[in-house]
Each structure stands twice: as structure tokens, then as C-alpha cells.
């Protein structure tokens, strides 16, 4: 579905031809203008027209239609292809879901393709249209604004996950023993799955964004990207680095919490086994004595003595009290 199509000249939206080819020709004829087309989960027939008019590479078109791509940057002869994965945090279910956002950028045009609900394209377009000074820098301004909005939302999601993790950590290490509940391990595992989903979106984006920003080994300029925008893209790259460091820290902390929870469960099981063993030992003493004196023999020590029965009972009681105090002193009871 085609969501929006517009020509921007000197940072201002203008009315243009409905036909994509005529709009692109007009933008190139003007010189300081570009076409921005937004699509949402387009069908193959809908995208064929865009592909033909803008000469998009067939491999990139296939990726844009099928989705399920990793964040990446590909440079073709006539266009630049960028894949981003916006994430959405659901506070009701404490879950993270990701969408996909593809950007085709070339000479005087930008084509954005959105899959899922996490892409902030409408807000980005409105913000850019309200700031012509940024939009007048052309397609590069659109690429920067979209990447900046996606990465900034990463920071918000990372903050939400940090809050949830603190709550989970308090539950695991609560003095009341909440960490021993049966659902705690499954909750920790589900939380780790959310972090993994987040890492799949933010982690692979580091190399494409570094290449766009021209940092590290990727100092060469990328075609169709205005070099004057690289300082702004470096700022986005710095934010992404913070996000990836935060996600890495969350993942390590969740792993430590899971290990601590399993250790707590093991300690509790050992405590239970010690208590069971202590009670079994206490039950074994009178059982042994009663078993000996329950044997059917005539000639047994103290068998016919009148004080033998109370002596055995007192012996049992004394041994039970002694064992109880011993186990209590060692913390088994």
C-alpha cells in the first residue's frame, strides 16, 4: 500500500504529478528537489511499478518484499539500500517485538518500505516537514532522521528493559524467598528471549551505521550520502554504541541472575535433603531399638527385668533429644 508520495523542494513539500516517473523527472529537472515515497507492506504488483520507475536492484526489491532481513547496508549502481529493525516495547506483556524498515535512496529520490508496526515513519515525516532547514539537505536528511528516530527509540526500550530487570532482580533476591517460586526461572528465560530479540535488531546495525558515518575502517564516503551529514550520523552511531553496550550488560546480568536463581534452588534442595536426612536418622534410632527388642528370643539381656521397658523408652527419648540438638546446632533442622 502506498502511504504517501511527495516532492520536496528547498525543504518544502510541493504538489507534483501522480505518476512516479513524471515526479522523479520533475524533481531532477528542478535540481534542488527529491521525491519521497512511503509504502506499507506492499504487494509484488504494487512494488513492480516503483521498481521500474526508480530502477531498483532486483535483489534489494526481493528483500524488501519478503522482509525478515538483518539490518544491513548495500550499495548498488543506482541506489543505496538500508535495512533497519525498529523495536516496540509492550508494557502490558513486558515483551519486545521488532518490525522492518527498508530505505532505498538514490539520485533525487527516497523510497521507504515498512513492515510491522514499529517504524516511526509518519512522525519522522511530520517532524521533517516542520523543519525545512533539515529537509532541504535532501534524501540524506531523510536517512539520518529515520536512523536517529529508530536508535533513539532503542534507548527508550533499553531503559524499560532495565527497569523490568531491576524488578525481576529484586524478586529473585527478596528475603521472603520469592526467587524460589516455580515461575521465576521461566520469567528469567522469557526476559532473556526479549533481550535476544532486541540484540537481533540493534547489534547488526553497528557496521552499516559506522559505514554511513565514515568511522573506523569505513572512512570512505558512501554513494548518495552527503558528506556534510556524517557528523550527524556519527552522533547516531554513538547512540547505537550506547544501546549495544546497555543490551550487552543486560544480557550478562540476566545470565548472572539465572545462575544465582539456580544456585538458590540448589541450596534450598540441599537444605530440604538435610532436613529429611535428619528426621530419617531420628526415626531410625527408636526403630532399631524397638526392632531388637521385638525379636522372639527368650534369652535376651534385660528382657525379664521389671525396669527394662521404662529404661528403653528413656534411652530412646535421650537419643532423640541428643540427635535433635546435634542437627539443630548444625543447621539441619
Amino acid at each position: 500500500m502506498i502511504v504517501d508520495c511527495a516532492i520536496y523542494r528547498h525543504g518544502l513539500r510541493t504538489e507534483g504529478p501522480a505518476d512516479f516517473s513524471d515526479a522523479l523527472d520533475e524533481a531532477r529537472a528542478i535540481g534542488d528537489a527529491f521525491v519521497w515515497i512511503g509504502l506499507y507492506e506492499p504487494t509484488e504488483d504494487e512494488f513492480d511499478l516503483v521498481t521500474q520507475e526508480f530502477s531498483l536492484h532486483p535483489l534489494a526489491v526481493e528483500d524488501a518484499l519478503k522482509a525478515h532481513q538483518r539490518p544491513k547496508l548495500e550499495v548498488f549502481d543506482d541506489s543505496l539500500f538500508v535495512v533497519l529493525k525498529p523495536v516496540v516495547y509492550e508494557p502490558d506483556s513486558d515483551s519486545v517485538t521488532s518490525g522492518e524498515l527498508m530505505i532505498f535512496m538514490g539520485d533525487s529520490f527516497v523510497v521507504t518500505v515498512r513492515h510491522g508496526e514499529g517504524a516511526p515513519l509518519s512522525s519522522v515525516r511530520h517532524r521533517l516537514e516542520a523543519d525545512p532547514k533539515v529537509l532541504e539537505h535532501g534524501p540524506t536528511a531523510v536517512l539520518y532522521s529515520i536512523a536517529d528516530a529508530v536508535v533513539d527509540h532503542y534507548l527508550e526500550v533499553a531503559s524499560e528493559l532495565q527497569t523490568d530487570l531491576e524488578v525481576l532482580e529484586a524478586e529473585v533476591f527478596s528475603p521472603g524467598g520469592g526467587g524460589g517460586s516455580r515461575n521465576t526461572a521461566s520469567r528469567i528465560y522469557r526476559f532473556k528471549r526479549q533481550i535476544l530479540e532486541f540484540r537481533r535488531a540493534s547489534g547488526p546495525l553497528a557496521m552499516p551505521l559506522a559505514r554511513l558515518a565514515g568511522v573506523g575502517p569505513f572512512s570512505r564516503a558512501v554513494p548518495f550520502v552527503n558528506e556534510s551529514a556524517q557528523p550527524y550520523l556519527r552522533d547516531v552511531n554513538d547512540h547505537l554504541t550506547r544501546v549495544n553496550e546497555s543490551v550487552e550488560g543486560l544480557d550478562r546480568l540476566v545470565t548472572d541472575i539465572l545462575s544465582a536463581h539456580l544456585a538458590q534452588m540448589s541450596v534450598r534442595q540441599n537444605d530440604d535433603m538435610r532436613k529429611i536426612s535428619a528426621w530419617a536418622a531420628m526415626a531410625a534410632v527408636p526403630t532399631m531399638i524397638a526392632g531388637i527388642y521385638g525379636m522372639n528370643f527368650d534369652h535376651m539381656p534385660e528382657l525379664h527385668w521389671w525396669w527394662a521397658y521404662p529404661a528403653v523408652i528413656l534411652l530412646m527419648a535421650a537419643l532423640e533429644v541428643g540427635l535433635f540438638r546435634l542437627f539443630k546446632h548444625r543447621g539441619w533442622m
Side-chain angles (χ1 to χ4, degrees), residues 7-323:
I7 298 177
Y8 295 91
R9 182 182 182 184
H10 300 300
L12 299 175
R13 182 177 181 134
T14 62
E15 297 297 332
D19 183 78
F20 296 154
S21 180
D22 294 340
L24 182 59
D25 292 340
E26 180 178 328
R28 287 174 175 172
I30 294 173
D32 191 14
F34 69 96
V35 180
W36 183 1
I37 299 175
L39 301 99
Y40 175 70
E41 297 184 356
T43 63
E44 187 173 350
D45 293 336
E46 290 174 337
F47 209 65
D48 280 344
L49 180 60
V50 179
T51 302
Q52 295 171 6
E53 299 296 345
F54 293 94
S55 301
L56 304 180
H57 197 280
L59 292 177
V61 171
E62 182 181 359
D63 290 344
L65 288 173
K66 292 185 177 180
H68 304 293
Q69 302 295 316
R70 286 165 54 92
K72 62 180 179 179
L73 167 65
E74 293 185 359
V75 180
F76 300 104
D77 293 336
D78 299 325
S79 62
L80 193 69
F81 181 56
V82 182
V83 179
L84 305 173
K85 290 183 72 70
V87 296
V88 176
Y89 176 79
E90 299 292 344
D92 295 335
S93 57
D94 293 335
S95 62
V96 174
T97 57
S98 61
E100 291 193 35
L101 179 58
M102 289 82 168
I103 304 172
F104 295 88
M105 192 173 75
D107 181 18
S108 301
F109 74 86
V110 176
V111 177
T112 54
V113 182
R114 179 165 62 94
H115 292 269
E117 300 297 330
L121 282 185
S122 59
S123 60
V124 170
R125 188 186 287 263
H126 293 157
R127 187 167 64 250
L128 282 174
E129 290 178 353
D131 191 359
K133 289 185 178 180
V134 175
L135 196 55
E136 68 182 3
H137 289 87
T140 303
V142 177
L143 175 62
Y144 157 72
S145 298
I146 293 175
D148 184 54
V150 169
V151 173
D152 283 349
H153 195 61
Y154 284 170
L155 290 170
E156 296 176 8
V157 173
S159 178
E160 294 286 350
L161 289 176
Q162 180 66 43
T163 301
D164 288 347
L165 183 59
E166 290 173 359
V167 173
L168 185 61
E169 184 179 19
E171 178 182 336
V172 170
F173 296 103
S174 62
S181 64
R182 296 181 179 179
N183 296 328
T184 302
S186 61
R187 286 187 59 197
I188 297 173
Y189 180 75
R190 286 197 302 269
F191 192 87
K192 194 171 181 64
R193 291 284 300 177
Q194 305 309 318
I195 294 178
L196 177 61
E197 182 70 19
F198 196 0
R199 292 183 68 177
R200 287 174 179 170
S202 64
L205 183 59
M207 185 174 294
L209 200 53
R211 187 177 177 187
L212 289 171
V215 298
F218 311 104
S219 57
R220 292 185 301 173
V222 178
F224 310 108
V225 175
N226 193 332
E227 292 187 10
S228 63
Q230 285 190 336
Y232 300 95
L233 290 169
R234 283 197 293 270
D235 181 66
V236 178
N237 185 62
D238 291 341
H239 290 175
L240 180 64
T241 301
R242 287 173 50 197
V243 169
N244 287 330
E245 290 175 351
S246 177
V247 173
E248 188 70 25
L250 288 173
D251 186 57
R252 288 197 301 267
L253 190 55
V254 159
T255 301
D256 293 341
I257 290 175
L258 180 59
S259 299
H261 171 69
L262 295 177
Q264 283 182 332
M265 295 297 293
S266 178
V267 169
R268 287 192 176 95
Q269 289 176 352
N270 290 337
D271 289 339
D272 293 340
M273 288 303 300
R274 284 199 298 266
K275 291 177 181 179
I276 293 173
S277 300
W279 285 110
M282 292 176 62
V285 171
T287 301
M288 179 190 67
I289 296 175
I292 292 174
Y293 279 90
M295 294 187 294
N296 295 322
F297 292 102
D298 289 333
H299 304 287
M300 291 184 65
E302 300 93 18
L303 186 62
H304 299 289
W305 295 355
W306 67 269
W307 49 266
Y309 178 76
V312 170
I313 296 299
L314 289 174
L315 177 62
M316 290 182 183
L319 290 174
E320 290 295 297
V321 171
L323 288 174

